[in-house]
Amino acid sequence: MSKVKKDYLVGGILTLMGVAAALMSMQVRVKTGSTDPGSRLFPMLASVSLILCGIGVLASAAKSQEKTFLSGEGWKRIGISFGILILYILLLKYIGFLISTPVFLFAVTGMLAGEKKVAVWGRMVYSLVITGLTWYTFVKVLSMPLPKGVIF
Amino acid sequence: MDIFMTVIQNLFSPVCLIFMILGCIMGIIFGALPGLSGTVGVTLLLPMTFGMKPELGIALLISIWVGGVSGGFISATLLGIPGTSSCIATCFDAYPLCRQGKARKALMTGIIASFIGTFLSCIIAMILCKYVAKIAMMLGPWEYFSLCLCAVVLVVSLSKGNIFKGLAGAAIGLLLACVGAAPVDAVERFTFGNYNLYGGIDNTGVMLGTFAIFLVVINFAKGEMSLQDKEAGSTEGEGLTLKEFKDNIVNMIRSFLIGLWIGFLPGMGAGLSNLVAYGQAKSASKTPEKFGTGIIDGVFATETSNNASVGGALIPMVALGIPGDATTAVLLGGLTIHGLEPGPLLFQNTPVYVYVMFGAAIVSAVMVLIMQLGGIRLFPKILKIPYHYLYPAILMLCFIGAFTASNTIFAMGVMLTMTAAAVFLEWADIPRTPFILAFILGGMLEKYMRRGISYSTNGLWAFITRPVSCIFLMVAFLSLFWPILSERIKKSKREA
Amino acid sequence: MRRTKKFTALVMAAAMALTLAGCSDSGTASTTAANTEKAASAETTAAGTAAAETTAAAAMWPEKDVTVIVPASAGGGTDIFARAVTDYLQRSTGKTFTVVNVDAGSGMVGFEQCRNAKPDGSTIMFWHTGFYVTNASGQYEHNPNTAFSPLVMFRGEGDDAKQVFVVKGDSPINNMNDLIEAAKAAPGTITYGCSVGGSAQLVAEMIMQAGDVDIRLVDAASQTDKITGVAGGNITVSAITYGGAVQYVESGDLKIIGVVDKEGTDEYQSASEQGLENCYWTQELCVFGPAGLDEDLCKAINEVFAGMNDDETLINTLTTSKMLKKALDYDASMSVFADYEKTVGEAASKVDWN
């Protein structure tokens, strides 16, 4: 199976995105009797531009250079990072800042340390201290609310 | 002369000086931290100034503002993460410089460029204020639309490589800007019934997601975390040389004027000017391909222009009571609270306070310069903190920043979605700058286009019949098609 | 072996975090109690039963930190007023009040945040009576009086709170009748700047009905937009606050042709005084909470706000910023809330909002 040039894929995706956007734009309500063109015009213009650009990319795909973006390991790491970040948001929503953040910080320090050996107790102290400092500064000093959580 | 004496007495009283120093420090910190900004700092401290004497309160708020605009560049240089939207383009060249071990050079450049931007723009503002202010009122939606369009097209035309990809990035940014309630008639678009999306996608979330979090995720994916500790943080190495400064004088003047003008226009400020100035510097440069790899010109351009917007925004604020950007809107509120009535007569009725404002901005610029120059050895020490301790805290701050902008957890989800979008764009080799610029300007572009059509009796023609608007549109048209045209001309010359 | 170590470490981290959380909560509780006591003892030095009632109210609300939602951007009229009053509330009750600007979607995200908040007094919203029009025009589907708990109605004192119609300083139009004549003479050229679906549009529709004339509505969302648009000659007429207009009138950039409120000022007649029937609107600020608030709690909240009428510092701040308002007591507030719902409903039903 021959390797498809990336730009063909990109062009295709862009065109599809443009078509999807155009379809959604057509559902936008236009108020009658207003003095301006209505809210459908702008997204339609943008969608059509996107479709045209997608086609343009497809057309010039033959000349494009192939650049490798990420290795397989790289994609795996992206997956892991997104996983942790999404988990953090969920934790924040249900448990609140004070508990989720030390856990998050602990996990991320481990993740970013990679192969390096970092003392577990160092990470724990760091996670708790940073959480406490941040909470104090934002909530007490600046009066800016932090996520409260549904359960707690 | 009396006025000047009073102003100097007020500004240079020990209490005021101390407050301004504290304000500058707070501003720098807020500006440097991703997720917070000078605007947030001003808004937070506003109630605390209620009980103060007006001169003191205003001087304090202005010092926070100036500090905030200048502080963002520190994190942009050292961490590659823009502290505020006014430093997005700074990252493009300052960060590579830092990674090459030239942190000191980058920092010096930024500090000096920032100072020149703020200092000169405030002096010009002070002198020209009365005369130039009326221009702000003569401009209508047609001019604003054409200007925004010109800015987007300019940046698109500079995207290296495929121009279709640059345009595509802009189109995607525009579509994202359409999410939420439409301007003018508040019709729901692309909201899928979710009321959180009704307000559209928040700027802060987009910026943090596409620049800050994206950077950390990508570096982790590529395994490039260790590069940080090796060469970073070296305060040895040369600072800024006089030759480099001289070479960039034209660049600085041009960027300064861009920043001044954009700051002057109500509704647009440093967030826009740094991107436009960067684009212009790149197109005017003899070595445009070096932009993005760590060229000092890029840093000069962005930092001069975003600080020049400070003086620019002061002009309509002081002379007309019209906010130049989000921070001046809050400052105006502050003036009202202290019983000063912003408007055309502010200068006439209470000239002391007007000069206090300009004076405070100028003095703060000097304070920030001294503080930053003094701290130049200190700042890179941040990079001595191990990567795996520094960046988790930064990530956490980004999440907090996204949350506090709208007080919803939803915003954090939006931010992550933007990170995913950034990954897609990077994979597809679509440049992020047109995307982010189109997103920031999308709302304004549509609002002014629609207003322009409805205000006038001859619809679309007004965009061309009004001279200023016409000029901007022509510039936009030319910058988009000129590269293609000049290639054609060169080709035909060769074949002839 | 390593895995279990990691797991235990995580569990310990979580446990310590929990203790942190527990500590902070009890900490807040004790400071709260101390503050309430301080507030209570300060109150007893003031005169009579009124003080005792306020103390009782302050003891009931707020119990914990309060989030104040302002569905407008920072620095605007509503925002500044909210911040000044919140500052008073924080001073008098000793609790933390946090102002949050949620101006997205013309304020609608803010409305929803308040409407969906827990009905325990920890979330309130500052807004204005334009709310009823936003609902009646179909832009916002929830009724302010039923989907929210109306809490406090403010009444603006003096002329500064009134709204006035303005045209460009050198315009040939001098009063409301001139405006109507001009609209009849050259249909389609007279434009009125307002944000669609709100009280400003209602006022425009009232003028059109009273004068039997058509005026083109164009978009101008903020006061700044209106001022720049009218003074720059791009919009014919718009309505802004009197306090905001005064300077521009003095400098010659704008001219006042009528007052939007029912009663004019000493200098200017109101639209209804000039003969336009049923053509008036008074924009007042008010406070809402989510629906389902206990009636006693509502009364207690109103009581705490009522204290601001006697607070010298706040009165000074509001007077200097030309937005002095009084908080109405509970019964008066409720009747005004009901009034607005009724009159707006009637007026809005005659308008084709499409």
Side-chain angles (χ1 to χ4, degrees), chain A residues 6-7 24 31 35-36 38-39 42-43 53 60 67 69 74 77 101 109 111-112 118 122 126 134 142 145, chain B residues 44 162 165 167 182 185 187 189-190 220-221 223 225 388-389 393 396 399-400 403 412 426-427 429 446 450 454:
Chain A
K6 195 202 288 185
D7 268 6
M24 285 198 281
K31 283 194 180 168
T35 48
D36 79 319
S39 299
F42 206 70
C53 289
S60 52
K67 259 194 271 179
F69 178 51
R77 285 181 162 199
T101 310
T109 44
M111 179 181 97
L112 291 179
V118 185
Y126 165 82
T134 314
L142 298 175
Chain B
L44 279 177
N162 202 330
K165 288 195 174 176
L167 272 173
D185 55 13
V187 167
R189 296 193 297 203
F190 303 151
F220 173 62
M225 292 103 59
H388 54 267
Y389 278 148
M396 175 191 73
F399 276 90
I400 296 180
F403 176 77
M412 296 196 232
E426 189 76 2
W427 168 79
D429 211 21
E446 184 177 8
R450 292 169 68 169
S454 75

Side-chain angles (χ1 to χ4, degrees), chain C:
Chain C
M1 187 56 200
R2 223 185 270 170
R3 275 218 196 129
T4 38
K5 244 197 179 173
K6 265 197 183 172
F7 181 71
T8 346
L10 257 168
V11 169
M12 281 175 63
M16 291 180 79
L18 262 164
T19 346
L20 227 181
C23 282
S24 68
D25 271 347
S26 55
T28 337
S30 50
T31 8
T32 315
N35 280 336
T36 330
E37 271 174 30
K38 269 196 220 151
S41 53
E43 289 300 287
T44 48
T45 55
T49 33
E53 276 175 14
T54 327
T55 320
M60 189 175 179
W61 182 83
E63 269 178 48
K64 38 186 173 156
D65 299 343
V66 177
T67 309
V68 178
I69 298 180
V70 176
S73 54
T78 317
D79 175 67
I80 302 194
F81 179 74
R83 285 181 190 271
V85 175
T86 311
D87 177 66
Y88 157 74
L89 291 173
Q90 196 158 282
R91 271 184 293 119
S92 68
T93 63
K95 302 290 194 306
T96 320
F97 284 76
T98 318
V99 174
V100 179
N101 293 91
V102 194
D103 66 326
S106 316
M108 270 174 242
V109 180
F111 303 157
E112 286 296 283
Q113 273 190 13
C114 178
R115 191 177 70 87
N116 292 321
K118 266 195 251 181
D120 58 359
S122 61
T123 312
I124 59 175
M125 179 174 83
F126 269 77
W127 197 228
H128 53 68
T129 48
F131 206 8
Y132 293 94
V133 186
T134 318
N135 170 240
S137 70
Q139 216 186 24
Y140 184 62
E141 54 183 351
H142 300 282
N143 183 309
N145 286 348
T146 54
F148 294 82
S149 304
L151 295 171
V152 187
M153 176 65 70
F154 296 102
R155 173 169 298 150
E157 307 269 300
D159 286 342
D160 291 317
K162 299 197 172 156
Q163 289 194 307
V164 290
F165 293 107
V166 288
V167 295
K168 191 161 191 272
D170 55 12
S171 157
I173 300 174
N174 286 318
N175 54 47
M176 299 304 293
N177 289 305
D178 283 350
L179 179 69
I180 298 190
E181 295 300 310
K184 285 190 177 156
T189 54
I190 304 290
T191 51
Y192 181 95
C194 63
S195 51
V196 161
S199 50
Q201 185 181 355
L202 184 65
V203 173
E205 302 281 348
M206 286 177 182
I207 297 180
M208 289 198 258
Q209 273 173 22
D212 193 25
V213 72
D214 234 353
I215 301 180
R216 248 174 4 125
L217 298 178
V218 295
D219 175 62
S222 64
Q223 180 129 314
T224 310
D225 287 336
K226 294 172 186 173
I227 294 178
T228 8
V230 175
N234 295 320
I235 307 180
T236 320
V237 61
S238 191
I240 61 177
T241 58
Y242 179 71
V246 166
Q247 264 202 54
Y248 297 94
V249 172
E250 267 190 64
S251 71
D253 291 302
L254 293 179
K255 182 173 17 174
I256 299 180
I257 60 173
V259 178
V260 182
D261 299 60
K262 210 168 192 175
E263 283 167 24
T265 65
D266 293 331
E267 261 189 86
Y268 301 101
Q269 284 189 312
S270 76
S272 46
E273 282 165 5
Q274 291 185 39
L276 293 174
E277 270 189 59
N278 281 327
C279 185
Y280 62 89
W281 176 258
T282 311
Q283 189 97 311
E284 294 286 15
L285 294 180
C286 40
V287 181
F288 291 93
L293 283 184
D294 186 53
E295 202 185 348
D296 285 330
L297 182 58
C298 292
K299 290 190 179 167
I301 295 178
N302 187 293
E303 287 259 19
V304 177
F305 270 91
M308 72 180 249
N309 294 336
D310 301 311
D311 184 77
E312 288 236 16
T313 325
L314 181 63
I315 294 181
N316 276 336
T317 312
L318 290 180
T319 317
T320 26
S321 27
K322 297 199 165 173
M323 46 172 86
L324 183 62
K325 298 184 203 297
K326 295 271 179 224
L328 298 178
D329 66 50
Y330 188 73
D331 294 320
S333 292
M334 292 303 125
S335 80
V336 177
F337 279 113
D339 256 351
Y340 267 101
E341 191 186 348
K342 188 161 139 282
T343 42
V344 170
E346 280 170 12
S349 61
K350 300 187 202 144
V351 176
D352 172 28
W353 299 98
N354 60 17

Side-chain angles (χ1 to χ4, degrees), chain B residues 108-109 112-113 116 240-252 296 300:
Chain B
M108 287 279 312
T109 313
I112 293 182
I116 292 179
L240 193 58
T241 64
L242 199 57
K243 178 176 186 304
E244 282 170 333
F245 185 82
K246 278 202 219 157
D247 285 342
N248 276 290
I249 290 211
V250 176
N251 180 7
M252 278 201 285
I296 211 81
F300 267 115

